[in-house]
C-alpha cells in the first residue's frame, strides 16, 4: 500500500517577508510619483513596474489592478502607516478624542488634518480627477467623502457629549461646518493656489472651527 503523500509545506521566512514588503513599498512609492506627476489615466502598470525596477508581472501579483494599487496607496497615505486599522482607531485620532479641553481638541484635530493633507492632498486631487472618467475611481472618491464626513462626525460628537458645542448647533450641522472647512478643495485653494504654508493653514483651520462650533465658554 502506497504511503500517503505529505502536504507540501509553504516555505516562508522573515527574510522573504521583508523582501515582499520592500517590493510592495517600492511599488507604492513609484506609483505615487507617477500618479501625482502623470495622472491616473496616463500611468500604466508597466510604467509603475519600470519606475520601481521590477517586472510588470510583479505589480499584478502584488496589487492585481491599477485601481487596487491606488486604493492601497490612498489608505497608506491617509492612515500614516501600514496595517488595517481604520483612521478612527489610529493613535493620532484617538489622541484628539482623549483630550479633555475642547479648544485643545480642535488644535489637535487641525494638526492631524494638516499632516494628512501634506501626505495625501496631491493624491486626493488625482483621485478626484480620475473619478470623472473611471467608475472605480468614482466609487473610491465617493467612499473618501463619506468616510471623511464620518470621521469629522466622531470628533464633533465628542464635543457635543462634553457640552462644548455652540448653543443651537446640532451635531450634523456642526459636522458639515468642520467637513467643509477641512475639505481638500479648500486646502488646494489656500495652500496650492494662494501659497499659504501648511502651518498657516493649520492655524487658520484650528481658529476657525473653534470659533464656528464651540460655545464661548469652551474657547
Amino acid at each position: 500500500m502506497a504511503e500517503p503523500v505529505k502536504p507540501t509545506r509553504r516555505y516562508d521566512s522573515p527574510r522573504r517577508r521583508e523582501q515582499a514588503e520592500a517590493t510592495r513599498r517600492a511599488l507604492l512609492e513609484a506609483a505615487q510619483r507617477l500618479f501625482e506627476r502623470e495622472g491616473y489615466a496616463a500611468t500604466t502598470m508597466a510604467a509603475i513596474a519600470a519606475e520601481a525596477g521590477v517586472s510588470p508581472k510583479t505589480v499584478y501579483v502584488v496589487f492585481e489592478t491599477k485601481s487596487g494599487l491606488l486604493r492601497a496607496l490612498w489608505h497608506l497615505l491617509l492612515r500614516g502607516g501600514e496595517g488595517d486599522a481604520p483612521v478612527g482607531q489610529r493613535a493620532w485620532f484617538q489622541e484628539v478624542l482623549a483630550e479633555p479641553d475642547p479648544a485643545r481638541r480642535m488644535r489637535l484635530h487641525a494638526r492631524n488634518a494638516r499632516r494628512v493633507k501634506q501626505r495625501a492632498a496631491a493624491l486626493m486631487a488625482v483621485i478626484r480627477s480620475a473619478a470623472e472618467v473611471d467608475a472605480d475611481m468614482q466609487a473610491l472618491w465617493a467612499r473618501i467623502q463619506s468616510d471623511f464626513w464620518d470621521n469629522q462626525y466622531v470628533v464633533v460628537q465628542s464635543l457635543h457629549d462634553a457640552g462644548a458645542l455652540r448653543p443651537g448647533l446640532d451635531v450634523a450641522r456642526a459636522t458639515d461646518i468642520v467637513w467643509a472647512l477641512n475639505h481638500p478643495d479648500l486646502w488646494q485653494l489656500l495652500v496650492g493656489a494662494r501659497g499659504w504654508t501648511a502651518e498657516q493653514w493649520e492655524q487658520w483651520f484650528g481658529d476657525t472651527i473653534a470659533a464656528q462650533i464651540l460655545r464661548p465658554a469652551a474657547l
Side-chain angles (χ1 to χ4, degrees), residues 77-143:
L77 297 181
L78 172 65
R79 296 167 181 173
E82 292 282 8
D84 295 329
V87 167
Q89 296 177 17
R90 296 278 166 171
W92 51 267
F93 190 89
Q94 288 295 314
E95 182 186 4
V96 175
L97 303 182
E99 171 56 49
D101 179 70
R104 173 64 180 162
R105 198 176 304 180
M106 294 293 87
R107 295 296 173 194
L108 291 175
H109 189 53
R111 177 207 65 186
N112 289 347
R114 186 258 305 166
R115 289 177 177 175
V116 168
K117 287 174 176 59
Q118 285 182 303
R119 293 194 300 264
L123 192 69
M124 279 191 273
V126 171
I127 295 169
R128 178 164 190 175
S129 177
E132 298 177 2
V133 296
D134 185 281
D136 285 343
M137 291 302 98
Q138 186 177 47
L140 177 57
W141 181 247
R143 179 63 183 270

Side-chain angles (χ1 to χ4, degrees), residues 136-204:
D136 285 343
M137 291 302 98
Q138 186 177 47
L140 177 57
W141 181 247
R143 179 63 183 270
I144 288 171
Q145 296 298 295
S146 175
D147 288 350
F148 181 43
W149 193 92
D150 289 346
N151 289 332
Q152 310 311 301
Y153 181 89
V154 172
V155 174
V156 173
Q157 182 67 55
S158 74
L159 294 167
H160 171 75
D161 293 344
L165 282 187
R166 182 160 52 84
L169 188 63
D170 63 32
V171 174
R173 179 59 62 88
T175 301
D176 287 345
I177 292 170
V178 177
W179 176 84
L181 294 171
N182 195 13
H183 200 276
D185 286 357
L186 200 50
W187 167 276
Q188 293 292 354
L189 286 173
L190 297 177
V191 178
R194 296 303 306 158
W196 287 25
T197 67
E199 292 71 24
Q200 287 171 333
W201 180 91
E202 177 185 342
Q203 181 70 44
W204 167 82

